[in-house]
Amino acid sequence: MRDGISALRIGVTLAVLVTGNTLGLSLALAQSAVRTDPLLNNGPPVWDTNHDGIFTCDEWKKFMEQLFVSADKGRKGFLTPQEFGVIKKADPSLAEADFGYFDENQDGKISRKEFVEKPSVFILRFDRNGDCRVTPDELKAATTPQPTGGPQERPRDRFH
């Protein structure tokens, strides 16, 4: 009987240790996922033209204008799906972009206005005070784990 109780105690102890290690690993993975934002996986955006660490709507629009001009091979004033494929390769932040997202009127082509005026998902995600500027403090606040439970603020389109 004593051997049975000892075996049971050892079994329970091992189960607690394994469960604790699994729980600890799960918590560590969850915390690391919170700190990793998909919009920052490739580092800060390249379109900070003055390299001051502040990302503005004006810088975004200038960047998008340059991309549009470089991809609009025939200088037609619109992008075809094939030309849009070139844009997706030009910047990691646009690699997953969808043609239909930019083609607002669904005419099968993306006009300069449709492309350049489209808000930056990065700014929508990180600009906490709505001034069309993402500062290092806003980036830090957005990537620091927050306590769960309160209402979540939805990103707003600050371009229109």
Side-chain angles (χ1 to χ4, degrees):
M1 178 98 153
R2 281 193 172 166
D3 290 334
I5 292 174
S6 294
L8 180 61
R9 284 184 184 160
I10 290 171
V12 169
T13 302
L14 286 174
V16 168
L17 288 174
V18 168
T19 303
N21 284 340
T22 304
L23 180 59
L25 179 60
S26 297
L27 288 173
L29 289 173
Q31 287 173 344
S32 113
V34 168
R35 287 186 215 129
T36 305
D37 192 296
L39 289 176
L40 297 174
N41 282 348
N42 297 307
V46 297
W47 42 270
D48 178 19
T49 53
N50 62 2
H51 309 290
D52 64 354
I54 298 171
F55 305 92
T56 68
C57 292
D58 287 339
E59 288 173 322
W60 170 252
K61 287 181 180 184
K62 286 176 187 169
F63 174 70
M64 294 297 277
E65 177 70 29
Q66 291 170 345
L67 281 178
F68 185 91
V69 168
S70 69
D72 181 17
K73 295 299 179 197
R75 305 292 180 249
K76 312 169 294 307
F78 63 86
L79 301 175
T80 65
Q82 294 77 20
E83 291 168 330
F84 185 71
V86 171
I87 284 178
K88 290 175 67 163
K89 294 176 184 167
D91 185 75
S93 68
L94 296 169
E96 300 297 320
D98 180 59
F99 186 87
Y101 172 75
F102 286 94
D103 184 15
E104 288 184 11
N105 63 5
Q106 301 298 302
D107 63 353
K109 54 189 176 185
I110 300 171
S111 71
R112 178 184 305 269
K113 182 178 181 191
E114 286 174 317
F115 189 73
V116 174
E117 296 295 321
K118 188 59 78 171
S120 164
V121 174
F122 180 84
I123 290 178
L124 290 174
R125 163 76 174 85
F126 295 110
D127 181 16
R128 296 292 187 173
N129 62 3
D131 64 354
C132 233
R133 297 165 30 99
V134 176
T135 65
D137 289 340
E138 287 172 313
L139 277 175
K140 183 179 177 186
T143 57
T144 302
Q146 301 294 318
T148 59
Q152 298 290 325
E153 182 179 335
R154 292 182 44 211
R156 297 177 305 276
D157 179 348
R158 295 175 184 99
F159 285 82
H160 298 100

